[in-house]
Every structure is written in C-alpha cells, then in structure tokens.
Amino acid sequence: PVPAPAPLSRAEGERQARELIANLLAQKPGQSSSNLAVVKVRGADRRERQIPATFAIVLTPTNYLNLYAVGSGVAPAGMKLTIIHTDVRPNEYFLAEPPVPGAAPAPPRRLTPGQLMQPFAGSDFWIADLGLEFLHWPQQRVLKREMRRGQFCAVLESVDPNPVPGGYSRVVSWLGVNHPEELVLVHADAYDLQDRRLKEFDPKTLEKVQGSYQLQSMEMRNVQTDSRTVIEFNLAPADSP
C-alpha cells in the first residue's frame, strides 16, 4: 500500500492555505446566468416541504453577485438574498425580507457578520453557507491531502476566532485540487462552539455547462437535529429574479 503523506507543519499548512484560498477566490463564473431551483426541506419530524426559488449569477466589471430569490406564493414569499463577491475582499450580504401584507416592500438591508448564521428561507442552509463565508475567516490551515469521492483533495481547516452564539466555530472542507485552475468544494463539515459536528455539506452532482462546472444539486444535513435540505437546480436558463 502507498504510505499516507506526512502531516503538514502548521507553518506549511498556513502557507498552502493562503495560496489555495487566493486561487479559489480568484475563480469567477464564466458568464451571467439565471436558473430555476427547488429547495426541499425535510425537518426533524420527517415532513418535507418544497420551496420554488431562482438562483442567478450576475457579472460586473469589478465583481460578481449571487442572487437567491424565493418564489412567490409560498412563505416566506419575496425573500431575496444578494451576495457580492469581490476578489479577496470580504463578501457583502443584502437581505430583502418578505413584505408585510398591505405594506410597500422594504429595501434590502446589509447584514453584519453576526447576522449571517441564520437560516435562509427556513432551510438548513444558513446565509453564511451560501456565501462560503468560512473562506474569509482569519485562521486558515491545510491539514493534509487525501482522496475523497474520487478527487484528490486539500483538507482545509477554517477557524473563526470570534464565533457568534449558535454559529460555527470551525469548518473542515475538502477542496478538489485535481485541476488547480478549477478548484471545487467536495465536502465540508461545520462544528459548533463546543466543537461538536453540527452540519455536513455535500455538492451532490456537477455538470459541465458551456465550459464550466455547475451544480445540479447540493445538500446540507444538520446532524444534531436530523434535518436536511437539498437545493436542486434546473440548469436550463430562467428569467432573472
């Protein structure tokens, strides 16, 4: 058998993490797009509900935006999340809440870092998850490299030194490095403030569309509550939200 690679020293692990994250954050979508999606939430009571949604990518000359909009006719109808990605700068998050019946829609509000650890549309995906916010935490280290789901991966540990109550203290992620020009997230585990595993994230399937890989679905499992959410994307173009 091939011997396991020696564990990385802290200094080398931190150096590799800086390089890996810089390459990852430099990746940008090839073009703007908009797709329909279905958010399937199965609660701890085993009941499942489905929420229609739209997911869009908008490219600008200086950054790109991810837009998640919950379809009309369901609660919380009208919720819209905008995540602005600008190279190595921190993400910016804006949330438009569902309007109160009879009232005009409120403008989107900018979320503070402490407001990102909240569910989006009542799902197991928190707002921080949708923006991969852990990649912007100050403490990053590659622990080792190993195979996972058929991909050669760098195992990245991301630590939040000042976690918010009820949020994540650290995230361990497996980043596929088979093709350095196109890094992909293969799996991630999130831990609570007591360092107990809280959630497991899995991009379920990838499909190459117009030269770049796009997700067909992704799953988030809360191992403490035994709830699960799957977001399924229809990769056919949709109208912008």
Side-chain angles (χ1 to χ4, degrees), residues 166-214:
Y168 305 148
S169 62
R170 67 186 181 107
V171 172
V172 178
S173 56
W174 281 254
L175 298 168
V177 293
N178 284 350
H179 307 287
E181 74 283 356
E182 198 161 35
L183 299 169
V184 294
L185 178 60
V186 175
H187 178 83
D189 292 329
Y191 293 81
D192 65 15
L193 272 62
Q194 289 72 46
D195 205 35
R196 299 172 302 187
R197 192 169 57 180
L198 174 59
K199 290 203 214 163
E200 298 176 347
F201 171 70
D202 278 301
K204 301 301 287 185
T205 49
L206 283 167
E207 180 177 316
K208 202 155 193 176
V209 178
Q210 295 179 336
S212 61
Y213 284 102
Q214 295 188 28

Short mmCIF file of all heavy atoms in Angstrom, two decimals, residues 166-214:
data_model
loop_
_atom_site.label_atom_id
_atom_site.label_comp_id
_atom_site.label_asym_id
_atom_site.label_seq_id
_atom_site.Cartn_x
_atom_site.Cartn_y
_atom_site.Cartn_z
N GLY A 166 -24.39 30.22 18.79
CA GLY A 166 -25.22 29.41 17.91
C GLY A 166 -24.64 29.18 16.53
O GLY A 166 -25.23 28.46 15.72
N GLY A 167 -23.47 29.78 16.24
CA GLY A 167 -22.87 29.66 14.92
C GLY A 167 -21.81 28.58 14.86
O GLY A 167 -21.77 27.66 15.68
N TYR A 168 -20.93 28.71 13.88
CA TYR A 168 -19.85 27.75 13.70
C TYR A 168 -18.59 28.25 14.39
O TYR A 168 -18.28 29.44 14.34
CB TYR A 168 -19.51 27.55 12.21
CG TYR A 168 -20.65 27.17 11.31
CD1 TYR A 168 -20.67 27.59 9.98
CD2 TYR A 168 -21.71 26.37 11.76
CE1 TYR A 168 -21.69 27.23 9.12
CE2 TYR A 168 -22.73 26.01 10.91
CZ TYR A 168 -22.73 26.45 9.59
OH TYR A 168 -23.75 26.10 8.75
N SER A 169 -17.83 27.31 14.97
CA SER A 169 -16.51 27.66 15.49
C SER A 169 -15.43 27.36 14.47
O SER A 169 -14.42 28.05 14.40
CB SER A 169 -16.23 26.88 16.78
OG SER A 169 -16.21 25.48 16.52
N ARG A 170 -15.65 26.32 13.66
CA ARG A 170 -14.68 25.98 12.62
C ARG A 170 -15.38 25.17 11.53
O ARG A 170 -16.44 24.58 11.77
CB ARG A 170 -13.47 25.23 13.16
CG ARG A 170 -13.76 23.84 13.69
CD ARG A 170 -12.53 23.21 14.34
NE ARG A 170 -12.82 21.86 14.83
CZ ARG A 170 -12.39 20.74 14.26
NH1 ARG A 170 -11.62 20.80 13.17
NH2 ARG A 170 -12.69 19.56 14.75
N VAL A 171 -14.76 25.15 10.37
CA VAL A 171 -15.24 24.36 9.24
C VAL A 171 -14.05 23.60 8.67
O VAL A 171 -12.98 24.18 8.49
CB VAL A 171 -15.88 25.26 8.15
CG1 VAL A 171 -16.18 24.44 6.89
CG2 VAL A 171 -17.14 25.92 8.67
N VAL A 172 -14.23 22.30 8.44
CA VAL A 172 -13.22 21.50 7.76
C VAL A 172 -13.78 21.15 6.39
O VAL A 172 -14.86 20.57 6.28
CB VAL A 172 -12.87 20.22 8.55
CG1 VAL A 172 -11.85 19.39 7.78
CG2 VAL A 172 -12.35 20.57 9.94
N SER A 173 -13.06 21.53 5.33
CA SER A 173 -13.56 21.34 3.97
C SER A 173 -12.55 20.57 3.13
O SER A 173 -11.34 20.66 3.35
CB SER A 173 -13.88 22.69 3.31
OG SER A 173 -12.75 23.53 3.31
N TRP A 174 -13.07 19.80 2.19
CA TRP A 174 -12.25 19.04 1.25
C TRP A 174 -12.36 19.73 -0.11
O TRP A 174 -13.45 19.80 -0.70
CB TRP A 174 -12.74 17.60 1.17
CG TRP A 174 -12.30 16.73 2.30
CD1 TRP A 174 -11.33 15.76 2.27
CD2 TRP A 174 -12.81 16.71 3.64
NE1 TRP A 174 -11.20 15.16 3.50
CE2 TRP A 174 -12.10 15.72 4.37
CE3 TRP A 174 -13.79 17.45 4.31
CZ2 TRP A 174 -12.34 15.45 5.71
CZ3 TRP A 174 -14.03 17.19 5.66
CH2 TRP A 174 -13.30 16.20 6.33
N LEU A 175 -11.25 20.27 -0.59
CA LEU A 175 -11.23 21.03 -1.83
C LEU A 175 -10.49 20.22 -2.89
O LEU A 175 -9.31 19.91 -2.74
CB LEU A 175 -10.55 22.38 -1.63
CG LEU A 175 -11.24 23.31 -0.61
CD1 LEU A 175 -10.34 24.48 -0.27
CD2 LEU A 175 -12.57 23.80 -1.16
N GLY A 176 -11.20 19.87 -3.96
CA GLY A 176 -10.60 19.08 -5.03
C GLY A 176 -9.55 19.88 -5.77
O GLY A 176 -9.83 20.98 -6.26
N VAL A 177 -8.34 19.35 -5.82
CA VAL A 177 -7.22 20.07 -6.45
C VAL A 177 -6.67 19.29 -7.65
O VAL A 177 -5.55 19.51 -8.09
CB VAL A 177 -6.09 20.34 -5.43
CG1 VAL A 177 -6.55 21.32 -4.38
CG2 VAL A 177 -5.59 19.04 -4.78
N ASN A 178 -7.49 18.36 -8.19
CA ASN A 178 -7.05 17.63 -9.38
C ASN A 178 -6.74 18.58 -10.53
O ASN A 178 -5.82 18.36 -11.32
CB ASN A 178 -8.14 16.65 -9.84
CG ASN A 178 -8.19 15.42 -8.95
OD1 ASN A 178 -7.31 15.20 -8.13
ND2 ASN A 178 -9.22 14.60 -9.11
N HIS A 179 -7.52 19.63 -10.64
CA HIS A 179 -7.35 20.62 -11.71
C HIS A 179 -7.18 21.99 -11.04
O HIS A 179 -8.18 22.64 -10.72
CB HIS A 179 -8.56 20.61 -12.65
CG HIS A 179 -8.88 19.25 -13.19
ND1 HIS A 179 -8.11 18.63 -14.14
CD2 HIS A 179 -9.87 18.38 -12.89
CE1 HIS A 179 -8.62 17.44 -14.41
NE2 HIS A 179 -9.68 17.26 -13.67
N PRO A 180 -5.95 22.42 -10.77
CA PRO A 180 -5.74 23.65 -10.00
C PRO A 180 -6.44 24.87 -10.57
O PRO A 180 -6.76 25.80 -9.84
CB PRO A 180 -4.21 23.81 -10.03
CG PRO A 180 -3.68 22.44 -10.30
CD PRO A 180 -4.71 21.77 -11.17
N GLU A 181 -6.67 24.88 -11.89
CA GLU A 181 -7.35 26.04 -12.48
C GLU A 181 -8.84 26.04 -12.19
O GLU A 181 -9.54 27.01 -12.47
CB GLU A 181 -7.09 26.08 -14.00
CG GLU A 181 -7.87 25.03 -14.81
CD GLU A 181 -7.29 23.62 -14.71
OE1 GLU A 181 -6.22 23.46 -14.08
OE2 GLU A 181 -7.90 22.70 -15.26
N GLU A 182 -9.36 24.95 -11.63
CA GLU A 182 -10.80 24.85 -11.38
C GLU A 182 -11.02 24.07 -10.08
O GLU A 182 -11.39 22.90 -10.07
CB GLU A 182 -11.50 24.14 -12.56
CG GLU A 182 -12.99 24.37 -12.59
CD GLU A 182 -13.57 24.06 -13.96
OE1 GLU A 182 -13.08 23.14 -14.62
OE2 GLU A 182 -14.50 24.77 -14.36
N LEU A 183 -10.74 24.72 -8.96
CA LEU A 183 -10.91 24.10 -7.65
C LEU A 183 -12.39 23.92 -7.36
O LEU A 183 -13.22 24.78 -7.67
CB LEU A 183 -10.27 24.97 -6.57
CG LEU A 183 -8.77 25.23 -6.69
CD1 LEU A 183 -8.34 26.31 -5.73
CD2 LEU A 183 -8.00 23.95 -6.44
N VAL A 184 -12.74 22.78 -6.75
CA VAL A 184 -14.14 22.53 -6.44
C VAL A 184 -14.26 22.07 -4.99
O VAL A 184 -13.37 21.39 -4.46
CB VAL A 184 -14.76 21.45 -7.37
CG1 VAL A 184 -14.83 21.96 -8.79
CG2 VAL A 184 -13.99 20.14 -7.31
N LEU A 185 -15.35 22.46 -4.34
CA LEU A 185 -15.64 22.02 -2.98
C LEU A 185 -16.31 20.66 -3.04
O LEU A 185 -17.37 20.50 -3.63
CB LEU A 185 -16.55 23.03 -2.28
CG LEU A 185 -16.98 22.70 -0.85
CD1 LEU A 185 -15.78 22.56 0.06
CD2 LEU A 185 -17.92 23.79 -0.33
N VAL A 186 -15.67 19.65 -2.44
CA VAL A 186 -16.15 18.28 -2.50
C VAL A 186 -17.02 17.94 -1.29
O VAL A 186 -18.01 17.22 -1.40
CB VAL A 186 -14.94 17.32 -2.60
CG1 VAL A 186 -15.39 15.86 -2.54
CG2 VAL A 186 -14.16 17.58 -3.88
N HIS A 187 -16.66 18.46 -0.11
CA HIS A 187 -17.41 18.17 1.12
C HIS A 187 -16.97 19.18 2.18
O HIS A 187 -15.86 19.72 2.12
CB HIS A 187 -17.11 16.74 1.61
CG HIS A 187 -17.80 16.38 2.90
ND1 HIS A 187 -19.11 15.94 2.94
CD2 HIS A 187 -17.37 16.41 4.19
CE1 HIS A 187 -19.44 15.70 4.20
NE2 HIS A 187 -18.42 15.98 4.98
N ALA A 188 -17.84 19.43 3.16
CA ALA A 188 -17.46 20.28 4.29
C ALA A 188 -18.23 19.85 5.54
O ALA A 188 -19.39 19.45 5.45
CB ALA A 188 -17.74 21.76 3.98
N ASP A 189 -17.55 19.92 6.68
CA ASP A 189 -18.15 19.68 7.99
C ASP A 189 -18.04 20.95 8.81
O ASP A 189 -16.95 21.55 8.90
CB ASP A 189 -17.44 18.55 8.74
CG ASP A 189 -17.65 17.18 8.10
OD1 ASP A 189 -18.71 16.97 7.50
OD2 ASP A 189 -16.74 16.33 8.21
N ALA A 190 -19.14 21.38 9.43
CA ALA A 190 -19.15 22.56 10.29
C ALA A 190 -19.34 22.14 11.74
O ALA A 190 -20.15 21.24 12.02
CB ALA A 190 -20.25 23.53 9.85
N TYR A 191 -18.64 22.80 12.64
CA TYR A 191 -18.65 22.44 14.06
C TYR A 191 -19.20 23.60 14.89
O TYR A 191 -18.96 24.77 14.58
CB TYR A 191 -17.23 22.09 14.52
CG TYR A 191 -16.71 20.81 13.89
CD1 TYR A 191 -16.17 20.83 12.60
CD2 TYR A 191 -16.75 19.61 14.56
CE1 TYR A 191 -15.70 19.67 11.99
CE2 TYR A 191 -16.28 18.44 13.97
CZ TYR A 191 -15.75 18.47 12.70
OH TYR A 191 -15.30 17.32 12.11
N ASP A 192 -19.90 23.25 15.97
CA ASP A 192 -20.49 24.28 16.83
C ASP A 192 -19.46 24.79 17.84
O ASP A 192 -18.28 24.43 17.79
CB ASP A 192 -21.76 23.76 17.52
CG ASP A 192 -21.49 22.61 18.50
OD1 ASP A 192 -20.31 22.38 18.86
OD2 ASP A 192 -22.46 21.94 18.91
N LEU A 193 -19.91 25.62 18.77
CA LEU A 193 -18.98 26.25 19.71
C LEU A 193 -18.40 25.26 20.71
O LEU A 193 -17.38 25.55 21.35
CB LEU A 193 -19.67 27.41 20.44
CG LEU A 193 -19.59 28.78 19.74
CD1 LEU A 193 -20.26 28.76 18.38
CD2 LEU A 193 -20.17 29.88 20.60
N GLN A 194 -19.03 24.09 20.86
CA GLN A 194 -18.48 23.04 21.71
C GLN A 194 -17.63 22.06 20.90
O GLN A 194 -17.26 21.00 21.40
CB GLN A 194 -19.60 22.29 22.43
CG GLN A 194 -20.30 23.08 23.54
CD GLN A 194 -21.19 24.20 22.99
OE1 GLN A 194 -21.96 23.98 22.05
NE2 GLN A 194 -21.08 25.38 23.58
N ASP A 195 -17.34 22.42 19.66
CA ASP A 195 -16.56 21.61 18.72
C ASP A 195 -17.21 20.26 18.44
O ASP A 195 -16.54 19.27 18.20
CB ASP A 195 -15.12 21.40 19.22
CG ASP A 195 -14.16 21.14 18.05
OD1 ASP A 195 -14.36 21.72 16.96
OD2 ASP A 195 -13.22 20.33 18.22
N ARG A 196 -18.55 20.26 18.46
CA ARG A 196 -19.29 19.08 18.01
C ARG A 196 -19.73 19.31 16.57
O ARG A 196 -20.11 20.42 16.20
CB ARG A 196 -20.53 18.85 18.90
CG ARG A 196 -20.21 18.62 20.37
CD ARG A 196 -21.48 18.59 21.19
NE ARG A 196 -22.22 19.84 21.02
CZ ARG A 196 -23.32 20.17 21.72
NH1 ARG A 196 -23.79 19.32 22.62
NH2 ARG A 196 -23.93 21.31 21.50
N ARG A 197 -19.68 18.26 15.77
CA ARG A 197 -20.10 18.41 14.38
C ARG A 197 -21.56 18.80 14.32
O ARG A 197 -22.42 18.16 14.93
CB ARG A 197 -19.86 17.12 13.59
CG ARG A 197 -20.01 17.31 12.10
CD ARG A 197 -19.51 16.13 11.32
NE ARG A 197 -20.21 14.90 11.72
CZ ARG A 197 -19.98 13.71 11.21
NH1 ARG A 197 -19.04 13.55 10.30
NH2 ARG A 197 -20.65 12.67 11.62
N LEU A 198 -21.84 19.85 13.61
CA LEU A 198 -23.19 20.39 13.52
C LEU A 198 -23.81 20.10 12.15
O LEU A 198 -24.97 19.68 12.07
CB LEU A 198 -23.17 21.90 13.78
CG LEU A 198 -24.48 22.67 13.60
CD1 LEU A 198 -25.56 22.13 14.52
CD2 LEU A 198 -24.26 24.16 13.85
N LYS A 199 -23.05 20.34 11.09
CA LYS A 199 -23.61 20.19 9.75
C LYS A 199 -22.63 19.52 8.80
O LYS A 199 -21.42 19.61 8.98
CB LYS A 199 -23.99 21.56 9.17
CG LYS A 199 -25.18 22.22 9.85
CD LYS A 199 -25.77 23.22 8.89
CE LYS A 199 -26.32 24.42 9.62
NZ LYS A 199 -26.51 25.54 8.71
N GLU A 200 -23.19 18.87 7.78
CA GLU A 200 -22.42 18.27 6.70
C GLU A 200 -22.96 18.82 5.38
O GLU A 200 -24.17 18.80 5.14
CB GLU A 200 -22.57 16.74 6.70
CG GLU A 200 -22.06 16.07 7.96
CD GLU A 200 -22.30 14.58 7.95
OE1 GLU A 200 -23.08 14.10 7.08
OE2 GLU A 200 -21.73 13.87 8.79
N PHE A 201 -22.04 19.32 4.55
CA PHE A 201 -22.42 19.90 3.27
C PHE A 201 -21.85 19.06 2.14
O PHE A 201 -20.66 18.72 2.15
CB PHE A 201 -21.91 21.34 3.16
CG PHE A 201 -22.07 21.94 1.79
CD1 PHE A 201 -23.33 22.25 1.30
CD2 PHE A 201 -20.97 22.20 0.98
CE1 PHE A 201 -23.49 22.80 0.03
CE2 PHE A 201 -21.12 22.75 -0.28
CZ PHE A 201 -22.38 23.05 -0.75
N ASP A 202 -22.69 18.73 1.17
CA ASP A 202 -22.25 17.95 0.02
C ASP A 202 -22.82 18.53 -1.26
O ASP A 202 -24.04 18.53 -1.44
CB ASP A 202 -22.71 16.49 0.13
CG ASP A 202 -21.79 15.67 1.01
OD1 ASP A 202 -20.59 15.58 0.70
OD2 ASP A 202 -22.27 15.13 2.03
N PRO A 203 -21.98 19.05 -2.16
CA PRO A 203 -22.45 19.28 -3.53
C PRO A 203 -22.68 17.90 -4.14
O PRO A 203 -21.76 17.08 -4.18
CB PRO A 203 -21.28 20.01 -4.20
CG PRO A 203 -20.39 20.45 -3.07
CD PRO A 203 -20.59 19.45 -1.98
N LYS A 204 -23.89 17.61 -4.58
CA LYS A 204 -24.23 16.24 -4.95
C LYS A 204 -23.77 15.88 -6.35
O LYS A 204 -23.23 14.81 -6.58
CB LYS A 204 -25.75 16.01 -4.83
CG LYS A 204 -26.28 16.25 -3.42
CD LYS A 204 -25.61 15.36 -2.40
CE LYS A 204 -26.06 13.93 -2.49
NZ LYS A 204 -25.50 13.10 -1.42
N THR A 205 -24.01 16.75 -7.31
CA THR A 205 -23.63 16.43 -8.69
C THR A 205 -23.13 17.70 -9.38
O THR A 205 -23.62 18.79 -9.13
CB THR A 205 -24.82 15.86 -9.49
OG1 THR A 205 -25.97 16.71 -9.31
CG2 THR A 205 -25.17 14.46 -9.03
N LEU A 206 -22.16 17.51 -10.25
CA LEU A 206 -21.63 18.60 -11.06
C LEU A 206 -21.84 18.27 -12.53
O LEU A 206 -21.69 17.12 -12.94
CB LEU A 206 -20.13 18.78 -10.79
CG LEU A 206 -19.71 19.48 -9.50
CD1 LEU A 206 -18.22 19.28 -9.28
CD2 LEU A 206 -20.04 20.96 -9.55
N GLU A 207 -22.20 19.27 -13.30
CA GLU A 207 -22.37 19.09 -14.74
C GLU A 207 -21.65 20.23 -15.44
O GLU A 207 -21.73 21.39 -15.03
CB GLU A 207 -23.85 19.10 -15.12
CG GLU A 207 -24.13 18.92 -16.60
CD GLU A 207 -25.62 18.85 -16.90
OE1 GLU A 207 -26.35 18.17 -16.16
OE2 GLU A 207 -26.05 19.50 -17.86
N LYS A 208 -20.92 19.88 -16.51
CA LYS A 208 -20.20 20.91 -17.25
C LYS A 208 -21.16 21.56 -18.24
O LYS A 208 -21.71 20.90 -19.11
CB LYS A 208 -18.99 20.33 -17.97
CG LYS A 208 -17.93 21.36 -18.30
CD LYS A 208 -16.55 20.75 -18.44
CE LYS A 208 -15.47 21.83 -18.45
NZ LYS A 208 -14.11 21.27 -18.49
N VAL A 209 -21.40 22.85 -18.07
CA VAL A 209 -22.32 23.60 -18.91
C VAL A 209 -21.57 24.79 -19.50
O VAL A 209 -21.02 25.62 -18.77
CB VAL A 209 -23.54 24.09 -18.10
CG1 VAL A 209 -24.47 24.92 -18.99
CG2 VAL A 209 -24.29 22.91 -17.50
N GLN A 210 -21.51 24.84 -20.81
CA GLN A 210 -20.85 25.93 -21.53
C GLN A 210 -19.43 26.16 -21.01
O GLN A 210 -19.02 27.28 -20.73
CB GLN A 210 -21.69 27.21 -21.44
CG GLN A 210 -23.04 27.07 -22.15
CD GLN A 210 -23.89 28.31 -22.06
OE1 GLN A 210 -23.73 29.11 -21.14
NE2 GLN A 210 -24.78 28.48 -23.01
N GLY A 211 -18.71 25.04 -20.81
CA GLY A 211 -17.29 25.13 -20.47
C GLY A 211 -16.94 25.24 -19.01
O GLY A 211 -15.77 25.20 -18.65
N SER A 212 -17.94 25.38 -18.12
CA SER A 212 -17.62 25.47 -16.70
C SER A 212 -18.54 24.54 -15.91
O SER A 212 -19.67 24.26 -16.33
CB SER A 212 -17.77 26.91 -16.19
OG SER A 212 -19.11 27.35 -16.34
N TYR A 213 -18.04 24.08 -14.75
CA TYR A 213 -18.83 23.17 -13.93
C TYR A 213 -19.93 23.93 -13.18
O TYR A 213 -19.68 24.99 -12.61
CB TYR A 213 -17.93 22.44 -12.94
CG TYR A 213 -17.12 21.33 -13.57
CD1 TYR A 213 -15.78 21.52 -13.88
CD2 TYR A 213 -17.70 20.11 -13.88
CE1 TYR A 213 -15.03 20.51 -14.47
CE2 TYR A 213 -16.96 19.10 -14.48
CZ TYR A 213 -15.64 19.31 -14.77
OH TYR A 213 -14.90 18.32 -15.36
N GLN A 214 -21.14 23.38 -13.22
CA GLN A 214 -22.26 23.95 -12.46
C GLN A 214 -22.88 22.86 -11.62
O GLN A 214 -22.93 21.70 -12.01
CB GLN A 214 -23.30 24.55 -13.41
CG GLN A 214 -22.79 25.75 -14.21
CD GLN A 214 -23.91 26.42 -14.99
OE1 GLN A 214 -25.07 26.37 -14.60
NE2 GLN A 214 -23.55 27.05 -16.09
#
